[in-house]
Amino acid sequence: MKPTFYPRLAWMGIKKNARLYVPYLLSCAFMAAMLYVIAYLAVTPALYTVNGKVNGSGTSAVAMTMSLGSFVVSVFIALFLFYTNSFLLRRRKKEFGLYSVLGMDRGALSAILFWETLLAAAFTLIAGLGLGLLLSYVSQSALLRLLSLPAAAFTVSLAAIKQCAITFIAIFALLYVRGVLSLRHAQGAALLKSENVGEKPPKAQWLLVIPGLALLLGAYYIAATINDPVQAMLLFFLAVIMVILSTYLLFISGSVTLCKTLQKDEKFYYKKRNFVSLSSLTYRMKRNGAGLASICILSTMVLVMLASTASLYFGAEDAINTLAVQNHWHPTEMADVRAEFFSLYGSLFFLGILLSVLFLFATLLMLYYKQVVEGYEDASRFAIMQRVGMTKRDIRESVNAQMLLIFLLPLAAAALHLAFAQPMVWQILQLFGIQNLTLFLGVTGAALLLFVLLYCAMYRLTSNAYFRIVSTGGAAA
């Protein structure tokens, strides 16, 4: 056997599944670039020294903020790539099943998977670090300007490159191990049918709905009734955990209950546009619920992060002036305090922008993957319906009905979470000297509007992709 046999099969598999692999590889490269940028900003001399001297008060806050940000991003990237890689693995299992039926053993399948993982890792590091170098230059200039620090020479950080390389090598190694383990216990015939295996919805839905509602109402009560900023800071993370748990419980169980209730309504269920879409949703609702909950949580994180960090930065001057009057500061003290405030709040705002871009990108990519992969799974069912008289227009109406449910639920829940989080976030911001409530509400409204516009654009993109796949029987790969 030629040594290039397995690499060629791996490359052919990537090309054949380009609709899934290209967004995956681009997202890996983008996340590698973002990790390098944040790691670079945590150590670059440009932010901390000019001509060998420390820039001034508050710059240590920038290093601390960016170091914390690089840790958060590393953890998030690992979780996100495991999630998106599962879509690829589900799609490839049918192909691996065919190889198995044709006589390949698990060692050969593992070799193909190894080369796919190696190619993906190589592209991620080369493209990601190349993009990261470009973005780090832009980010350094932007952050220096944001913090009112003098311009400085650009450098390349070997420490940031090393951190990025180690993180992604470890992630891809774990992805490979996960992939090998998923293939080890499956037979060829089972792999061939893996795309058509649905997930059974939970039987005792109300056992999940009741605690989910209790946790959510409890978190909302805490956020709405607390009046002490110190207590708000202490209880904020408890409320966040309660909201996350309740969101997953309610999306998994509540979506099942909703679909079953709609199926019992014969007038609604037995319409062409509702029958196929609702059947498809119920078929794999447990997986749908978890995915939609993840999208909702990420959306809420983006909105809260942007609103709070932007309020800190744009409200910093008012906070400084208020504190100066209360404490009778001299001009020299004012200069030092202003440097400290803008270094901390500016770096938090900049990190908030970077993380929001990362989380927003992940949210949109999750929606895309979810609909494309499920489009391939639904293609056979739509093909059957076309044979018995379903038209392209009927398919479009059915797709729109399914898309609206999938897209509106996370967005509506995220907006509701944001509304109830407002009082608690405002209490916490007051601890940092922010007193301009109008500014906070205005920034929050702007962040929500921008997010909704991007979300609607993604709805259009994924709806069209899903329609093309199911209307052509999955041939539009």
Side-chain angles (χ1 to χ4, degrees):
M1 184 180 297
K2 292 183 179 180
T4 58
F5 178 69
Y6 292 130
R8 280 193 297 110
L9 282 180
W11 176 245
M12 287 171 57
I14 292 174
K15 287 179 64 178
K16 182 181 177 182
N17 295 279
R19 185 188 288 274
L20 296 177
Y21 258 106
V22 170
Y24 174 70
L25 293 175
L26 291 178
S27 66
C28 288
F30 175 74
M31 292 191 176
M34 294 295 286
L35 178 59
Y36 173 81
V37 168
I38 296 176
Y40 169 81
L41 293 176
V43 298
T44 176
L47 290 171
Y48 315 113
T49 59
V50 175
N51 298 325
K53 297 181 180 180
V54 177
N55 260 332
S57 302
T59 52
S60 60
V62 184
M64 178 186 69
T65 303
M66 294 302 167
S67 297
L68 177 62
S70 66
F71 173 75
V72 172
V73 168
S74 297
V75 174
F76 172 75
I77 288 173
L79 295 174
F80 176 74
L81 291 186
F82 264 80
Y83 180 83
T84 53
N85 183 260
S86 65
F87 288 111
L88 287 173
L89 198 58
R90 276 168 48 203
R91 179 67 181 160
R92 296 303 309 284
K93 277 184 177 181
K94 186 175 182 179
E95 187 176 325
F96 287 139
L98 179 59
Y99 288 150
S100 180
V101 170
L102 292 175
M104 281 192 179
D105 58 16
R106 292 190 181 91
L109 297 179
S110 298
I112 297 173
L113 193 60
F114 170 79
W115 280 103
E116 285 189 13
T117 306
L118 185 63
L119 290 171
F123 176 84
T124 296
L125 290 176
I126 294 172
L129 289 175
L131 179 61
L133 291 174
L134 176 63
L135 292 179
S136 62
Y137 172 76
V138 176
S139 298
Q140 175 181 297
S141 301
L143 187 54
L144 287 172
R145 184 182 292 259
L146 194 67
L147 302 181
S148 300
L149 295 174
F154 173 71
T155 59
V156 176
S157 172
L158 294 179
I161 291 176
K162 181 180 178 182
Q163 178 181 342
C164 189
I166 291 174
T167 300
F168 275 86
I169 289 172
I171 290 173
F172 277 106
L174 292 173
L175 290 175
Y176 171 69
V177 171
R178 197 268 295 271
V180 171
L181 291 176
S182 70
L183 296 175
R184 177 171 296 177
H185 302 295
Q187 302 296 323
L191 288 171
L192 281 171
K193 298 177 181 178
S194 60
E195 272 193 351
N196 298 321
V197 177
E199 294 192 35
K200 296 180 180 179
K203 293 181 179 180
Q205 299 101 308
W206 290 108
L207 294 179
L208 297 177
V209 171
I210 293 172
L213 280 174
L215 285 170
L216 185 63
L217 293 176
Y220 283 176
Y221 178 80
I222 292 172
T225 59
I226 197 164
N227 294 315
D228 183 9
V230 176
Q231 284 187 346
M233 176 72 82
L234 294 175
L235 294 176
F236 179 74
F237 291 103
L238 173 62
V240 167
I241 292 171
M242 291 171 68
V243 167
I244 291 174
L245 290 175
S246 63
T247 300
Y248 276 97
L249 289 173
L250 290 175
F251 266 88
I252 292 172
S253 58
S255 54
V256 173
T257 304
L258 175 62
C259 283
K260 287 192 171 183
T261 302
L262 292 175
Q263 283 181 317
K264 291 178 180 178
D265 185 349
E266 295 183 0
K267 292 183 179 179
F268 176 86
Y269 184 52
Y270 291 107
K271 288 183 178 180
K272 285 186 289 187
R273 69 173 188 175
N274 298 329
F275 181 79
V276 178
S277 59
L278 196 57
S279 298
S280 300
L281 287 172
T282 308
Y283 177 76
R284 52 175 181 271
M285 190 47 70
K286 183 178 180 180
R287 188 176 68 219
N288 267 331
L292 295 178
S294 299
I295 292 167
C296 174
I297 295 300
L298 280 175
S299 302
T300 307
M301 289 170 64
V302 169
L303 293 169
V304 172
M305 194 182 314
L306 269 182
S308 56
T309 57
S311 297
L312 282 173
Y313 179 73
F314 292 111
E317 192 62 44
D318 289 341
I320 294 168
N321 293 333
T322 301
L323 291 173
V325 172
Q326 293 176 350
N327 296 282
H328 307 288
W329 284 333
H330 296 293
T332 304
E333 294 176 301
M334 282 282 290
D336 290 338
V337 171
R338 180 173 281 104
E340 292 176 1
F341 263 71
F342 276 96
S343 293
L344 177 59
Y345 293 174
S347 60
L348 283 173
F349 180 43
F350 194 79
L351 181 60
I353 293 174
L354 291 179
L355 292 180
S356 295
V357 169
L358 185 64
F359 292 162
L360 178 61
F361 182 82
T363 301
L364 301 182
L365 192 66
M366 285 171 66
L367 286 167
Y368 175 82
Y369 264 119
K370 180 179 174 54
Q371 296 316 117
V372 170
V373 173
E374 292 178 358
Y376 284 115
E377 294 176 356
D378 291 343
S380 60
R381 288 186 281 276
F382 276 96
I384 294 171
M385 296 303 293
Q386 287 186 80
R387 293 191 191 104
V388 296
M390 194 176 202
T391 65
K392 296 283 186 181
R393 181 177 178 179
D394 295 331
I395 292 177
R396 170 59 76 179
E397 291 179 352
S398 177
V399 167
N400 287 339
Q402 181 173 331
M403 295 292 104
L404 282 174
L405 179 62
I406 288 174
F407 274 78
L408 287 180
L409 279 177
L411 182 60
L416 188 62
H417 290 342
L418 178 66
F420 277 94
Q422 292 286 82
M424 181 172 276
V425 174
W426 173 242
Q427 294 287 340
I428 294 172
L429 289 177
Q430 290 181 71
L431 284 177
F432 292 86
I434 306 301
Q435 302 295 328
N436 193 336
L437 179 59
T438 303
L439 171 67
F440 172 60
L441 294 176
V443 167
T444 303
L448 181 59
L449 178 61
L450 177 62
F451 185 83
V452 169
L453 291 175
L454 291 172
Y455 201 84
C456 290
M458 196 60 192
Y459 162 75
R460 175 61 60 184
L461 174 64
T462 56
S463 175
N464 290 337
Y466 184 93
F467 173 74
R468 283 194 299 270
I469 294 170
V470 299
S471 63
T472 58

